[in-house]
């Protein structure tokens, strides 16, 4: 089986990471590559780490260029995917790496993104209850946001097992690639090296409703989320520190059991041995998720911490994993759980 | 007025930062410098950034060497200060930069530090209610821990004004200098660059009871604390993200008013204009604290975030600030609110 | 004596560093602050580390705004200083932090900067033979480039003592602040963290003729320079590795003696003890220069290495040092040799 | 074909990187793993990024444990490989990742390593003239040092084509993993982040005679080398800036032609298009070498710059590449030219 894949938005960080993974994927042949503001440029100048594609030249994103592929990946700014997606027939697998089709609640979409809601596609986080089945054979995939990936995987077992009160508090640190490749003063190396800083504080970050959607589904009740993202001086990685008050009767053992059960058969989620905590360096460039959980009896809270690579499992790796399911391939094809460290 | 100061523990990071500040202090003359495992070495080899002291040689820590000073700073491992402190008469100002005299509750001390409780000294965080007065003219000072400094300053206004429920959730990121200069594999540059990782999760970090002590005093009721420290890829700085459920009737305005009032006359705490958030880079090498607060109405939580330099305001700068009060000097002598950035 | 100083270009990295130093200078009162593209903004938003100036608002750069000061600093893009400088009378001290007045050779200027040569002002590197005297009482100062500062101080003793052949090979690593605050993709934190890369290779970097000018003056003959700058993953600092073939008869002792002599009375240049090598962290935020030199007998070359903070001694600190001389103040006023480390 | 491989020294950085690559190698089955000081520990605790091997336990390095494998990799401290290597018969492929068998000149070995010379094995840098043929079918491989890999590949084309005078000047920046995993104060994250510093200056670094050996072989005459290594604030990567005076008659075209020819058929060496320079981030985790060269006519020097990942092409990737040749596999099996960036 050879699957021909196009990538719209190949010059950014998400597109570059996707190409890195597709190059290593045994069933994929890389077709059209587009990038509007960089159309006409060599990929070797834009993504110098992708040597096998150095001489490929980017096209403009158009229906003609993207036609004739089995899979089309959309790595476009939020709000732009819906218009492009309309052109593809039901036989083409369309994988949206933007936010356009993630949210079920139209009001949430409009409040946080400010444009009309385009709809909802199967959600590309196979580890969540029900998601894997919905992805198998699907022709449309909404790739989750990077923070919701890390947070949902850290907390859904606690909510799924009825162990946690429906008020989650989350503080996550992200590498700078999560902020994209468009140059802005606060993203300069001079500014971010040696500095930690928060942003989007107080419930205004766009990933908040997506976390609420996932955790509420697991809990079977509305879960409120206090989410504070911070920018960390590293290129990649998310460390999500998530906690919630434990429901009455919860013990360290019941918490451990819920996480053991949730991840027992997951190929990419690794619940660490007790006492060992995740580090983003350990999942650098890999599709693995490292999770650890504990119960702080004095504070009465369950603390679950996850580490992912925001560009791999958090974006492009998650997209490939879901694509594998949609195409009927083994879910792990072309993906690794081995990080590049130190 | 010339004050003669000795430093026990001059070869570590806390001792080095203290010397950096004392060199710039107009009333201080630097006397004996000790450092047990490095006794006999030139300071120029151990602290190559302190050029004016490059030719000073470290002595062993002993009663004789430390005698005859007006002020003695103890930058020793936790649990070692009490024994050294006994030798000084009531006329010598002793500033303990370790934990030995911070906690009032002997049971807390024994649980977290595993040795008999040595007592309690005036607590060197002048911004907390009652602390400044207790420091004026005192001959003993317990310098706060770096995390409790950042966390207490971020949250005490909310508790002092009766705005927050007594269950705080704190996630803080610290630069690696907070872990000290003793070489350990997980602190190697190769390990920490590009990585975020938590440690001491679940209520076991030794700074937890100190935070509880400070916040409970402000609240007038027992405050529980869920505290997760994380190691960030930077040499210095703490960013503390602190939150608590708001009490009924709280509004964004009442929160803002409480913080405005708490910090109105503080020389080192800077409540940022609304919409601007702290960054550790902005307080690099300075004694300033940047604070911002918001009320997340959807989650019902007050979020307060502070940034300090863990070695300056978090350790050595805080020590000098309290020393100034104890000596009857202007509190800001020899200290700056200007960071070294970018 | 109170000296009123204006800063044109206060929103960039050079301007910010200059303000950091002027705030700590006992004889300076900070007057007008300008910044064209940022005129009208609070300095607190642009330079959040300069808390005492947070509420100052930037003006547009104009003759009116800059009039009425004793000293005017020009931290403007290369080529813009000459036009602004014309407005000032001979009684105003004008300190140009750009390149406009550094080069003596008009052909060099035109080749490397592409505009007509504006002239030559006294060169603000007091440690070079003849420079200190020319700066005393001067009303015009050309602040050296950051690389030429590091390189000239590392090599002029060897050339001044006739020890080195007139062909220098220099490889220098600079922190990213040297590239300025204008956002460009290759300066994003995501790009520079974890990466070393060269630029301006092969004799095309604009600082090359400035190095040749300085070293040739010291040698009394034309010195050729092979200069390769590299971008290092750190905000500040220059490490300059400089070498030249030794002339016949040179020994390790004669090299050491030349450097001892050259720096014996210099307040800011510190020749390290034999065996200890410079590190940029040791001069972080300080005006110090750390130098070490050795003679590699097998290769027949003298290797001299210097470390400076590119923003302090390499730009704003060098400017203040020269200003002190021009104003008749002690050369070290308001400056420190103590770095902020670790 | 399934090849059973043992790794002696699996707990260090070289061993960890080797395992990362062997896990992805289609013909390799990973056998015994040893690590003396860490014997008995789970690999998951020592190399948490290697999830598929997390439950493997390290053995002590002994003849029994290492027996019965087709390939044995020795990732041991310099000077320890020779004794271990003696136990293997001529049918076992022994790959030494240490220095023991790299140098041909016994006097060089004794001068730089201080122990008796053990001999010389085929040198694992296939791109050098003659090396590939010697590796095919060999049962012994001496893996090159990381700096000599970067430097030899940057300069041998110039020497091989007779373009350069026999005096090379090299300044290289290395990530901290090159200094190993043994904790030392100067390798702490607090020390290395934000700092560039040289070490081993003046011809004393052990990789110097290895460079001289390689470049002299290419030149057909003795080449002297001035080599200055520097430690850069990044975990991985080497950027080698290499230059030599051009011989009379050299032109930019003749230099370009020599490099084009040298690397035309090399699968891992990528001569960048003119005007684009290497960056270590582009080869992060890959076996690729990025090279660029220019001729500085004013200085009369050829400047060649290479970027490698010190742990991949510089150590473990180079080992696997040579192993492939020795085993008769395609040279690129299990290796990639795609970096993990940003």
């Amino acid at each position: 089986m050879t699957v021909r894949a196009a990538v719209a938005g190949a010059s950014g960080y998400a597109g570059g990471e996707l190409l890195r993974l597709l190059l290593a994927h045994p069933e994929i042949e890389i077709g059209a590559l587009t990038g509007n503001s960089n159309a006409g440029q060599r990929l070797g100048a834009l993504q110098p780490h992708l040597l096998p594609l150095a001489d490929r030249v980017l096209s403009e994103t158009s229906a003609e260029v993207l036609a004739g592929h089995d899979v089309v990946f959309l790595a476009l700014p939020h709000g732009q995917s819906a218009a492009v997606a309309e052109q593809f027939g039901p036989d083409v697998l369309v994988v949206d790496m933007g936010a356009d089709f993630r949210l079920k609640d139209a009001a949430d979409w409009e409040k946080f993104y400010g444009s009309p809601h385009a709809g909802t596609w199967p959600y590309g986080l196979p580890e969540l209850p029900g998601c894997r089945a919905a992805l198998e054979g699907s022709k449309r995939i909404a790739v989750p946001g990077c923070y919701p990936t890390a947070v949902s995987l850290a907390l859904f077992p606690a909510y799924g097992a009825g162990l946690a009160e429906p008020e989650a508090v989350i503080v996550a640190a992200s590498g700078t690639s999560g902020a994209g490749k468009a140059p802005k003063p606060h993203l300069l190396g001079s500014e971010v090296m040696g500095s930690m800083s928060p942003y989007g504080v107080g419930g205004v970050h766009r990933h908040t409703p997506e976390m609420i959607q996932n955790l509420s589904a697991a809990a079977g009740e509305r879960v409120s989320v206090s989410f504070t993202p911070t920018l960390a001086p590293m290129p990649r990685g998310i460390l999500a520190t998530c906690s919630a008050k434990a429901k009455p009767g919860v013990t360290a053992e019941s918490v451990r059991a819920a996480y053991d059960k949730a991840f027992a058969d997951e190929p990419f989620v690794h619940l660490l041995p007790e006492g060992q905590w995740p580090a983003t360096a350990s999942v650098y460039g890999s599709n693995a998720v490292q999770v650890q959980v504990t119960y702080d009896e004095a504070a009465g809270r369950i603390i679950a911490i996850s580490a992912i690579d925001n560009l791999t499992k958090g974006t492009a790796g998650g997209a490939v994993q879901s694509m594998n399911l949609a195409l009927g391939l083994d879910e792990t094809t072309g993906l690794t759980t081995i990080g590049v460290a130190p």
Side-chain angles (χ1 to χ4, degrees), chain A residues 212-262:
Chain A
I212 292 173
Q213 177 174 293
N214 293 346
L215 298 181
S216 299
E221 63 179 325
R222 168 86 183 182
V223 175
S224 80
V225 166
S226 165
F227 173 53
T228 306
T230 66
L231 196 66
M234 56 189 192
R236 289 174 173 238
I238 286 178
L239 185 80
T241 301
C242 313
S243 73
K245 214 166 164 171
K247 289 204 170 175
V250 163
T251 63
E253 291 69 30
S254 63
V255 171
R256 189 84 200 166
Y259 279 74
D260 270 332
K261 186 175 164 200

Side-chain angles (χ1 to χ4, degrees), chain A residues 146-147 150-151 154 170-175 196 227-230 232 234 236-242 277-281 283 290 304-310:
Chain A
C146 52
Y147 286 123
V151 167
I170 293 148
V171 179
S174 173
M196 292 284 308
F227 173 53
T228 306
T230 66
M234 56 189 192
R236 289 174 173 238
I238 286 178
L239 185 80
T241 301
C242 313
W277 289 87
T280 62
V283 295
Q290 290 195 342
I305 303 186
S306 62
I308 63 168
D309 185 316
N310 61 306

Side-chain angles (χ1 to χ4, degrees), chain A residues 68-290:
Chain A
H69 296 82
D70 304 302
V71 186
V72 178
F73 289 93
L74 305 178
L76 302 170
H78 297 311
Q80 297 191 6
S81 298
V84 177
E86 282 176 3
Q87 73 182 79
F88 302 105
D91 53 328
V92 177
L93 173 55
V94 184
V95 184
D96 182 23
M97 299 168 76
D100 296 32
F101 299 98
R102 291 174 190 161
L103 295 183
K104 293 175 180 164
D105 188 295
D108 273 350
W109 172 267
E110 284 159 24
K111 178 179 168 195
F112 281 87
Y113 291 89
S115 59
H117 189 224
T120 313
W121 288 356
Y123 190 69
L125 197 52
E127 294 85 356
L128 289 190
C131 283
R132 184 171 277 118
L135 292 163
E136 287 168 1
S138 173
K139 288 298 184 184
R140 295 292 183 271
I141 299 170
V143 178
C146 52
Y147 286 123
T149 295
V151 167
S152 303
L153 293 176
L155 277 183
F156 91 83
Y159 282 112
L163 303 175
E165 299 288 352
E167 299 181 358
V169 177
I170 293 148
V171 179
S174 173
T176 52
S177 60
K181 206 174 182 173
K184 297 170 189 166
H186 76 286
L187 297 176
L188 285 172
S190 301
E191 301 292 319
V192 298
M193 287 186 284
S195 198
M196 292 284 308
S197 58
Y199 65 101
V201 187
V204 301
H205 192 283
R206 287 171 164 182
H207 285 176
T208 310
E210 194 178 337
M211 296 177 196
I212 292 173
Q213 177 174 293
N214 293 346
L215 298 181
S216 299
E221 63 179 325
R222 168 86 183 182
V223 175
S224 80
V225 166
S226 165
F227 173 53
T228 306
T230 66
L231 196 66
M234 56 189 192
R236 289 174 173 238
I238 286 178
L239 185 80
T241 301
C242 313
S243 73
K245 214 166 164 171
K247 289 204 170 175
V250 163
T251 63
E253 291 69 30
S254 63
V255 171
R256 189 84 200 166
Y259 279 74
D260 270 332
K261 186 175 164 200
F263 299 133
D265 299 321
E266 287 300 339
F268 291 111
V269 187
H270 190 81
L271 180 65
L272 292 167
E274 289 187 59
Q276 187 178 354
W277 289 87
T280 62
S282 298
V283 295
Y284 208 93
S286 101
N287 205 52
V289 185
Q290 290 195 342

Side-chain angles (χ1 to χ4, degrees), chain A residues 317-333:
Chain A
V320 170
Q321 183 183 352
S322 293
M323 175 200 78
N324 286 339
L325 288 166
L327 293 174
L329 297 170
D330 183 285
E331 188 175 335
T332 65
T333 311

